[in-house]
Amino acid sequence: MAILPILETPDPVLRQISIPVETVTDELRTLIDDMFETMYAAPGIGLAAVQVGVPKRLLVIDLQEPEEEEGEPVRKPLVFINPEILEASDTLQPYLEGCLSVPEHYADVERPDRIRARWLDADGKAREEEITGMLAVVLQHEMDHLQGILFIDHLSRLKRDMILRKLAKARKEQPRKAA
Ligand code: ZN
C-alpha cells in the first residue's frame, strides 16, 4: 500500500469528468487500497479517485464514527464504483463540508438529505440502497468530484472567491515558511 499525493484546487485534473470503470481488476483493487491508506492518513472521511489523479468513477468512504462507549473511531470502509443517484429527496439539509482538495476551508452546503443510490462494490457486485444522514452528504460530495465539481462550487461567488484567494495566498507563503 502507498500514500498517494492528493491534488488540490486549482489543479485542472480535479475539473475532469471521470470515466466509468469497466472491470474490477487487481490494479483497481490496489488503487482502492492506496486510496483508503491515503484517506486515513490525510485524515479524511471520503476520497474520489480523481483526487489522486485517476479520473475514474471510483470513490471510497469511511465515516470512522466514534464508538459510543470507548470513543474510538470504528472503521467501516465503503467502496463505490460507478455510483449513480436514482432518487433524491426534495428536502435539503445544510452540512458543514470540507474537502482534502480544498484544504482547511469549510462551508455549509445544502443537499438532499435522502438519496437512493446504485453502485458496484469492491467485488464488482451491484448494490442499491437508500442512504441518509452523513453518508448521504459524503456520497453526494464525492460523486460531485466525478463530475469535476467541488463543494465550493455550491457556494456564492463571493464566498468561493474568498476561499480561493486565501488558498492561493497560503500556497505563496508556504515556501517562505519552509525557508
Ligand atoms: Zn472533496
Side-chain angles (χ1 to χ4, degrees):
M1 295 225 281
I3 294 176
L4 307 169
I6 297 174
L7 305 181
E8 294 177 5
T9 191
D11 193 310
V13 174
L14 290 169
R15 295 308 189 173
Q16 285 187 25
I17 295 185
S18 295
I19 57 163
V21 171
E22 284 182 14
T23 43
V24 181
T25 57
D26 285 346
E27 199 187 343
L28 196 84
R29 285 197 189 93
T30 303
L31 173 64
I32 291 169
D33 288 345
D34 290 347
M35 283 171 63
F36 274 115
E37 196 180 2
T38 303
M39 183 186 79
Y40 290 132
I45 56 174
L47 187 70
V50 69
Q51 291 180 277
V52 291
V54 182
K56 286 189 180 169
R57 304 189 84 79
L58 160 68
L59 56 96
V60 299
I61 294 175
D62 191 334
L63 302 179
Q64 301 158 69
E65 283 170 319
E67 205 168 12
E68 274 176 35
E69 308 263 309
E70 305 288 323
E72 279 290 306
V74 182
R75 283 193 178 180
K76 193 182 167 211
L78 300 170
V79 176
F80 295 83
I81 298 167
N82 300 341
E84 287 172 77
I85 293 177
L86 305 174
E87 282 171 40
S89 63
D90 294 331
T91 47
L92 305 178
Q93 186 80 35
Y95 191 86
L96 190 67
E97 294 190 22
C99 180
L100 296 174
S101 296
V102 188
E104 287 166 44
H105 289 274
Y106 301 86
D108 270 325
V109 177
E110 282 199 336
R111 298 183 190 272
D113 62 356
R114 203 177 63 240
I115 55 171
R116 173 162 283 278
R118 179 163 66 194
W119 69 95
L120 300 178
D121 66 17
D123 299 316
K125 206 177 119 211
R127 305 280 301 264
E128 187 180 318
E129 269 176 49
E130 184 168 276
I131 296 173
T132 59
M134 181 127 138
L135 184 56
V137 173
V138 179
L139 181 57
Q140 289 176 86
H141 173 115
E142 299 309 326
M143 284 181 69
D144 271 357
H145 279 298
L146 307 184
Q147 295 303 111
I149 297 168
L150 301 173
F151 82 93
I152 50 172
D153 300 340
H154 294 284
L155 309 178
S156 68
R157 174 177 284 263
L158 192 75
K159 267 193 200 163
R160 180 171 62 244
D161 287 351
M162 197 177 74
I163 290 175
L164 291 174
R165 257 201 320 275
K166 282 184 182 165
L167 278 173
K169 190 163 173 265
R171 207 162 287 137
K172 237 191 261 167
E173 281 170 359
Q174 241 163 14
R176 254 180 275 158
K177 262 188 245 158

